Amino acid sequence: DAGITQSPRHKVTETGTPVTLRCHQTENHRYMYWYRQDPGHGLRLIHYSYGVKDTDKGEVSDGYSVSRSKTEDFLLTLESATSSQTSVYFCALRAGWTGELFFGEGSRLTVL
Amino acid sequence: KQEVTQIPAALSVPEGENLVLNCSFTDSAIYNLQWFRQDPGKGLTSLLLIQSSQREQTSGRLNASLDKSSGRSTLYIAASQPGDSATYLCAVSLKETSGSRLTFGEGTQLTVNP
């Protein structure tokens, strides 16, 4: 158990509303990631962070922003949610030099 | 761009059978390769991690091999059990990113029948 918690675990919202998903780790890992998982597309990287205030884009970053003001928290924000952002969102962290990834339980987001 | 393919997409076997799941990738300059298990409605659980300098890793009934030159990895499951039913994903990270970014295959959905 890498001590990752995601919140909320489930959320239903309407098109055009802002949404923030939170990922919290209890350890002190430097790298954290946000992925989305969709049928037919698998897991795709949205954004990742390699330290406090250090973030970079992944392959599907449009419409998403992230922030990392503390080592333990990595926030994913949808400024104005769209139906195409209905998905399951997973946070992950990288443990040490091996590069092994550990995942949270996921946040299921439905945008109506 | 790294692409990862897993074949077959789905597999159904009787309990007790030994089986092999396949993963292929297009760029052989990898940092590591990781196999995961995902149960329905759950997150991903790390099974095995193979560094680029390694040829295989073992954990219990699981054995993963890596052949960088051919761009392939296999996950061998011995004496399969109904509890092994899940989706298995492989993911590869590239040397150029120092392993910081993973590319995932779409997974193999395994069903082990009692």
Side-chain angles (χ1 to χ4, degrees):
Chain A
D1 183 4
I4 308 171
T5 55
Q6 293 185 227
S7 59
R9 295 289 314 281
H10 300 273
K11 185 172 182 67
V12 179
T13 192
E14 293 188 352
T15 298
T17 59
V19 175
T20 296
L21 305 180
R22 178 181 183 239
C23 179
H24 177 78
Q25 63 161 319
T26 57
E27 300 176 11
N28 203 31
H29 298 293
R30 181 180 169 199
Y31 282 84
M32 297 182 76
Y33 303 81
W34 278 107
Y35 285 88
R36 60 178 290 174
Q37 186 175 38
D38 305 285
H41 293 280
L43 276 149
R44 293 178 292 174
L45 180 64
I46 305 171
H47 283 279
Y48 69 103
S49 170
Y50 46 96
V52 173
K53 293 185 172 27
D54 291 323
T55 64
D56 203 353
K57 296 179 180 180
E59 60 182 307
V60 290
S61 60
D62 287 348
Y64 302 95
S65 63
V66 290
S67 65
R68 192 160 178 208
S69 58
K70 300 184 291 184
T71 300
E72 58 266 35
D73 288 325
F74 190 32
L75 304 181
L76 177 70
T77 297
L78 292 66
E79 300 291 347
S80 177
T82 67
S83 58
S84 65
Q85 293 175 312
T86 292
S87 185
V88 181
Y89 293 86
F90 287 100
C91 175
L93 60 82
R94 179 185 176 188
W97 72 269
T98 66
E100 189 170 9
L101 250 64
F102 295 92
F103 280 77
E105 288 292 300
S107 295
R108 182 174 295 276
L109 175 67
T110 302
V111 183
L112 302 175
Chain B
K1 178 187 173 186
Q2 177 75 279
E3 294 183 1
V4 180
T5 304
Q6 292 187 246
I7 295 174
L11 182 64
S12 181
V13 300
E15 182 177 3
E17 190 164 298
N18 301 326
L19 58 99
V20 174
L21 307 181
N22 297 293
C23 173
S24 61
F25 46 93
T26 54
D27 189 335
S28 62
I30 67 170
Y31 186 85
N32 62 31
L33 183 145
Q34 197 167 352
W35 282 93
F36 296 88
R37 167 187 173 135
Q38 186 176 27
D39 294 289
K42 300 290 187 181
L44 280 70
T45 299
S46 177
L47 296 174
L48 290 165
L49 172 73
I50 310 178
Q51 300 295 342
S52 62
S53 59
Q54 298 174 321
R55 296 297 297 270
E56 66 177 336
Q57 282 285 344
T58 297
S59 176
R61 294 183 293 110
L62 305 179
N63 175 274
S65 68
L66 174 64
D67 183 344
K68 286 190 302 181
S69 61
S70 66
R72 293 182 183 177
S73 176
T74 61
L75 178 66
Y76 175 82
I77 303 177
S80 59
Q81 303 170 358
D84 294 330
S85 297
T87 297
Y88 291 81
L89 298 105
C90 73
V92 177
S93 64
L94 292 177
K95 276 187 179 177
E96 66 184 40
T97 66
S98 298
S100 64
R101 296 172 61 149
L102 265 69
T103 301
F104 282 81
E106 291 197 39
T108 294
Q109 185 174 356
L110 173 66
T111 303
V112 181
N113 300 299

